[in-house]
Amino acid sequence: AKERAMNNQNNPVIITPRDLPLHCSGPEHADSWNGHPRVFLPIQSDGDIECPYCGTYYHLEGKIHPHHY
């Protein structure tokens, strides 16, 4: 599992602030029936996060802009 995590860190899924909120439903090649529950991932500006279910590693390129209420 540690080797898989290292591979995912070397090949992260690159996202931008327009892709937020970030969620993961399983690896891209997984069919909907064998994915995992959709989880929302709290990524930080110019940060990285790993999905706790499948180990997909995400990198946000850019700053998260505050919401206007």
Side-chain angles (χ1 to χ4, degrees), residues 6-49:
M6 288 296 285
N7 288 339
N8 289 341
Q9 288 178 2
N10 293 334
N11 296 307
V13 176
I14 305 298
I15 61 169
T16 67
R18 298 187 102 191
D19 299 318
L20 299 176
L22 173 60
H23 67 275
C24 184
S25 298
E28 288 183 35
H29 62 275
D31 294 322
S32 60
W33 63 269
N34 68 352
H36 60 65
R38 177 182 288 187
V39 291
F40 287 87
L41 303 171
I43 197 164
Q44 302 295 315
S45 293
D46 295 308
D48 304 299
I49 196 163

Side-chain angles (χ1 to χ4, degrees), residues 44-62:
Q44 302 295 315
S45 293
D46 295 308
D48 304 299
I49 196 163
E50 182 179 6
C51 176
Y53 283 93
C54 66
T56 300
Y57 201 77
Y58 295 92
H59 175 75
L60 175 62
E61 288 188 347

